[in-house]
Amino acid sequence: MALKDHLAAGGWVALPVVGGVALSLVATIIGGTRKPTREKLMTATEELDNALSRYQSPTSTRNMLLLGQLLAYLKVDTNDTRASLFARRGNDDEWVLAARYSRNPILGAYSGRVYAANETILAAGWAGVETVYNVTASDAEWAEAYAAVTGASVEYTRKLHMKTRTSFGMQINHTEDHTQRAVGVLILETLVPGQLTVDMMPRIRRHPIFPLLAIECGLHLETRDALSDDAVAVIRRKVAKGDKKGKHSGGNVSAAARKR
């Protein structure tokens, strides 16, 4: 579904405002100097990327309402539980955290890290594997135990700040032309052993919010792309203007503006 269809269906009236803010940011940073250097342009794109990330924050009010309702429906909306929605384009080698919610601000925090496509529960959920991962080890032994259960490396699990005791992942599908394609994975985690169970998965699918998660995955990715494309166009015009005056050789800055 195209971005404009998402916006029309969901009424995301804030997008033009945010787009204007993002473009104003770029114009202010770049337009304020008569002789833009490549370093200044790269700094501008980095600041723009940060601004876009803040707008499409996985902990935005809209996302928290969606995931919070699911946890409340399952009666596990506690300080020990977290829900995360990860989006992915087809065979991309990275995941984008599209939404995250926890009543606990520490567990609900967004680290900004990049998630590889082959990471444990994410990869299993994407492949349609539905299983509950249980770890009952002490905090001191948790990293090794979690690695053994999920198939992750101990080096990876030691970097995780949430010592999850029970978790599962569910594939998020988008229906198009009577066919379904995977667009993301919903992951639920808790610090309480046994709090999440397999029977919760069909219950989540029956909830009216579940189909909205596929739209949220697409909206999150497409909004970032749309805003990034507009910003890159502004930057390229500034670079071209500088080149005509013989003051700047811009190079390719689009990769930095599009970084995830």
Side-chain angles (χ1 to χ4, degrees), residues 127-153:
V129 176
E130 295 189 351
T131 184
V132 174
Y133 301 85
N134 286 295
V135 175
T136 57
S138 65
D139 284 358
E141 300 173 340
W142 180 85
E144 289 76 9
Y146 190 74
V149 168
T150 63
S153 67

Side-chain angles (χ1 to χ4, degrees), residues 22-48 230-242 248 250 253 257:
L23 295 179
S24 296
L25 171 66
V26 177
T28 299
I29 295 172
I30 300 176
T33 174
R34 294 184 178 179
K35 296 182 179 181
T37 63
R38 186 175 188 278
E39 289 71 21
K40 288 180 179 179
L41 289 170
M42 295 300 284
T43 299
T45 58
E46 183 177 353
E47 293 197 18
L48 170 67
D230 288 343
V232 168
V234 171
I235 292 171
R236 284 176 174 166
R237 286 198 295 271
K238 292 290 183 180
V239 172
K241 184 177 180 181
H248 172 66
V253 297

Side-chain angles (χ1 to χ4, degrees), residues 105-179:
I106 297 177
L107 300 184
Y110 171 47
S111 66
R113 67 181 292 264
V114 173
Y115 300 81
N118 62 351
E119 285 187 357
T120 59
I121 301 179
L122 282 171
W126 182 260
V129 176
E130 295 189 351
T131 184
V132 174
Y133 301 85
N134 286 295
V135 175
T136 57
S138 65
D139 284 358
E141 300 173 340
W142 180 85
E144 289 76 9
Y146 190 74
V149 168
T150 63
S153 67
V154 176
E155 180 182 4
Y156 164 72
T157 58
R158 283 176 178 162
K159 296 178 182 178
L160 302 176
H161 74 275
M162 182 176 179
K163 292 180 171 55
T164 301
R165 291 315 198 272
T166 309
S167 58
F168 64 74
M170 295 178 60
Q171 185 184 77
I172 303 297
N173 292 307
H174 175 66
T175 302
E176 192 173 61
D177 297 329
H178 305 291
T179 61

Side-chain angles (χ1 to χ4, degrees), residues 66-78:
L66 290 174
L67 298 183
Q69 284 293 318
L70 280 180
L71 293 184
Y73 165 67
L74 296 172
K75 295 181 172 30
V76 293
D77 185 11
T78 69

Side-chain angles (χ1 to χ4, degrees), residues 3 7 11-27 47-57 60 62 219-220 222-228 230-231 234:
L3 175 61
L7 299 178
W12 309 119
V13 295
L15 179 57
V17 176
V18 175
V21 171
L23 295 179
S24 296
L25 171 66
V26 177
E47 293 197 18
L48 170 67
D49 188 68
N50 290 336
L52 298 181
S53 296
R54 284 193 297 272
Y55 163 63
Q56 281 298 101
S57 169
S60 70
R62 183 181 75 248
L219 178 65
H220 189 88
E222 291 181 18
T223 303
R224 287 173 63 92
D225 286 350
L227 292 175
S228 295
D230 288 343
V234 171

